[in-house]
Amino acid sequence: MRGGKPAARRLMEGETLLISITLEPGADSPIDATALSHLLRKHPGRLQTFELPVGNAHVFYPEYSPQRTTAVLLLEVDAIGLVRNKRFRGDNGVLDYYINDRPYTASSLLAVALGRVLRNAMTPTSEAYPELADTPLPLRLVVPVISTRGRDGHDLAERLFAPLGWTIEQRPIALDEMYPLWEDSRYSSLVLTGSAPLHVALRQLYVLLPVLDDSKHYWVSDDEAEKLVRQGEGWLPGHPERALISHRYLAHQKDLVAAADTRIAGESTASVESTTPLPPSPGASAGASVQPLRVQRAEAVLTALKDCGARQVVDVGSGSGALLRRMRKDGFFTRILGTDVSARSLEQAARVMNVDELADTDRARITLLHSSVLYRDERIAGFDAAVLMEVIEHIEPSRLSALEDSIFAGAAPANVIVTTPNSEYNHLYPALAHGGMRHDDHRFEWTRAEFTQWAEGVAERHGYGVEYRPVGETSLSSGAPTQMAIFRKAGA
């Protein structure tokens, strides 16, 4: 963290990470440019400072008049604290080093500061200027340093912002101005000019700055998919680079990308069924929003666990912790174990749950283990229930017998909960090719009859009874998108 120089002076010297927003209506416009301060909800008469986990953010106005008003969001990054804090980890190794480009180039750090400090301005409301809150305004957005990381190179800003109506002025930054024959660096300055509602412009920056950099300083969990859908509302669905935006924003995690794209494209369970002549779900109110399927699935598993009275639970193939996070927040569960064959997924789960920052009592409830579902592991024995949520379809069919042996014969919990896609439902997804699977990593997807046949065989061989529950909005002809089996050991 720097000290001693006023923030405005450091801005002029070009030493800090910032965004400037200028409203200049023009001589013939009735708009007063000072309205920008009201739309941003930040007072123009003083420097305002906000403490963030990564440093300090400042908001100030270097120019303020009815003809032209400029607001600046400046972020001073605590580079040393960023590297030392275990909460912050990028996916490209930048934060492994104390000397890095994070304090200077626009990235997820600046996007998070934007979301925290200007959160209220990212909504289409204003008490002082309600007529301007959702009105296109002549704006000039300046980001002095952006990264042009990766093979997409220097044309990526054009591909991201031009389809949104922005005029782009991008200038490469010399590697060293003293040596003009050297090639340019991988950094550029970016100026966007155009007409857009302020809240839309801010939401576009919030999403696209991390996309330009293709890195995030924190672990990306399923919450990020929700965030992308929410901040991309109104401009992302029709963007020609939507696939690239989703992959980069969600750190190239296929499951999160699929979940976000399904909702962004209007291909969620609710919208798919709204295009078919099906009756509404029992008890559903008109216009009621439907939770994403992955959320419904996790909630259905929690309900099943409680119905079984299972307080001590092992989540086998826990991934990045979508179910673990929910169990951690629920005091019903007294002992929680997450296992996965991927060490990186376990690290992500630990970050998602902030394990290092939990109180001792909460930390004692949670254990994460590197383990394979295909081999017996005595460490997962002795639990009330084992959960395999969207796991079995990732296993080669020839190896399902090994999974059966490790879980139902080896660990042998009183209850086992298994969820898997229902392939009969796939035809209701318009973007899914006929006979295609929902994820590239799936080895199979079963019909309801095929799942029942497998489950009944497992139950009979190991002394369990089995109950089936649908998860998600149900089609009369195709069933629900996810099928669940709840195995209960006889006499338990």
Side-chain angles (χ1 to χ4, degrees):
M1 297 285 285
R2 299 182 183 90
K5 297 181 182 179
R9 181 180 173 189
R10 289 195 296 275
L11 166 65
M12 300 306 294
E13 293 176 356
E15 296 181 3
T16 46
L17 180 59
L18 60 91
I19 298 173
S20 72
I21 305 165
T22 299
L23 173 59
E24 189 173 11
D28 298 331
S29 174
I31 297 175
D32 184 338
T34 61
L36 180 63
S37 65
H38 296 276
L39 295 174
L40 292 173
R41 276 89 157 179
K42 294 294 178 284
H43 195 286
R46 59 178 182 269
L47 172 69
Q48 298 172 74
T49 299
F50 305 84
E51 291 187 5
L52 303 176
V54 298
N56 289 331
H58 311 278
V59 176
F60 59 93
Y61 293 77
E63 53 184 342
Y64 185 79
S65 73
Q67 294 74 40
R68 179 183 169 96
T69 294
T70 297
V72 171
L73 170 64
L74 180 151
L75 178 63
E76 293 183 291
V77 175
D78 180 1
I80 294 176
L82 193 65
V83 175
R84 289 180 176 176
N85 195 324
K86 295 181 180 180
R87 290 175 57 193
F88 304 123
R89 287 293 182 270
D91 61 357
N92 57 13
V94 171
L95 296 184
D96 292 338
Y97 305 95
Y98 285 113
I99 299 176
N100 57 62
D101 65 358
R102 299 299 85 178
Y104 308 102
T105 185
S107 67
S108 60
L109 294 168
L110 189 56
V112 168
L114 184 72
R116 294 280 186 91
V117 176
L118 301 181
R119 180 187 298 114
N120 292 333
M122 294 168 70
T123 61
T125 59
S126 171
E127 294 181 1
Y129 287 90
E131 72 281 3
L132 295 182
D134 205 22
T135 299
L137 301 173
L139 298 172
R140 177 182 171 88
L141 311 175
V142 178
V143 187
V145 183
I146 64 169
S147 171
T148 51
R149 188 192 311 278
R151 66 178 182 270
D152 295 288
H154 292 272
D155 70 335
L156 183 56
E158 180 81 20
R159 290 160 53 195
L160 294 178
F161 289 100
L164 300 173
W166 295 101
T167 299
I168 294 91
E169 180 184 347
Q170 183 178 0
R171 295 183 179 179
I173 297 173
L175 192 61
D176 191 322
E177 294 179 353
M178 298 295 293
Y179 300 93
L181 295 181
W182 289 6
E183 65 180 20
D184 292 328
S185 70
R186 61 181 176 87
Y187 302 97
S188 301
S189 63
L190 180 64
V191 179
L192 306 173
T193 54
S195 181
L198 178 64
H199 73 94
V200 174
L202 295 177
R203 289 192 288 112
Q204 290 171 354
L205 284 173
Y206 180 84
V207 170
L208 296 180
L209 289 180
V211 171
L212 281 169
D213 186 57
D214 198 17
S215 178
K216 286 202 169 182
H217 66 281
Y218 53 90
W219 292 111
V220 173
S221 65
D222 57 352
D223 291 341
E224 292 296 288
E226 290 290 322
K227 198 181 301 180
L228 178 61
V229 172
R230 185 171 63 252
Q231 301 300 349
E233 183 179 357
W235 63 269
L236 183 54
H239 199 295
E241 297 288 352
R242 192 186 75 210
L244 181 144
I245 291 169
S246 297
H247 276 83
R248 283 186 164 219
Y249 186 85
L250 297 171
H252 304 275
Q253 296 191 41
K254 291 183 179 180
D255 56 339
L256 298 185
V257 172
D261 281 352
T262 295
R263 292 191 61 195
I264 292 170
E267 297 162 5
S268 66
T269 303
S271 60
V272 165
E273 293 201 356
S274 69
T275 64
T276 60
L278 301 175
S281 300
S285 59
S289 61
V290 179
Q291 291 180 314
L293 179 59
R294 57 190 170 76
V295 175
Q296 295 184 64
R297 184 164 49 235
E299 294 298 329
V301 170
L302 292 181
T303 298
L305 288 170
K306 292 181 178 180
D307 290 345
C308 295
R311 294 180 176 272
Q312 302 183 51
V313 179
V314 53
D315 183 9
V316 180
S318 57
S320 58
L323 183 62
L324 295 175
R325 178 170 54 85
R326 289 174 170 84
M327 287 195 290
R328 179 187 69 78
K329 294 179 180 180
D330 193 329
F332 178 86
F333 301 103
T334 58
R335 185 184 175 203
I336 303 166
L337 172 63
T339 74
D340 204 278
V341 72
S342 167
R344 184 174 184 272
S345 293
L346 293 173
E347 291 174 355
Q348 289 178 320
R351 298 299 186 277
V352 166
M353 294 188 293
N354 293 323
V355 169
D356 291 337
E357 299 180 13
L358 294 178
D360 291 343
T361 52
D362 282 337
R363 193 180 304 173
R365 295 168 58 217
I366 301 170
T367 305
L368 300 176
L369 292 177
H370 189 252
S371 180
S372 171
V373 70
L374 299 178
Y375 300 95
R376 289 197 182 195
D377 188 338
E378 62 182 12
R379 297 175 298 176
I380 70 172
F383 285 81
D384 298 332
V387 175
L388 291 91
M389 188 172 76
E390 306 299 282
V391 170
I392 61 172
E393 62 272 13
H394 294 271
I395 307 298
E396 291 290 349
S398 61
R399 307 198 71 186
L400 285 177
S401 59
L403 178 148
E404 178 183 335
D405 177 73
S406 69
I407 300 299
F408 292 91
N415 306 278
V416 179
I417 297 173
V418 178
T419 74
T420 192
N422 168 22
S423 65
E424 295 170 75
Y425 197 88
N426 287 355
H427 73 96
L428 295 176
Y429 293 100
L432 194 60
H434 178 69
M437 297 188 191
R438 299 184 199 177
H439 294 283
D440 293 340
D441 191 51
H442 286 185
R443 302 300 189 261
F444 63 86
E445 289 179 358
W446 278 333
T447 64
R448 286 170 289 176
E450 290 170 329
F451 183 50
T452 298
Q453 181 181 12
W454 175 81
E456 296 290 345
V458 169
E460 182 179 354
R461 287 189 290 272
H462 300 281
Y464 286 84
V466 61
E467 170 195 351
Y468 303 96
R469 295 183 185 179
V471 180
E473 295 292 304
T474 301
S475 160
L476 292 178
S477 61
S478 304
T482 294
Q483 43 192 340
M484 175 192 290
I486 304 173
F487 298 85
R488 293 184 174 92
K489 185 174 283 292

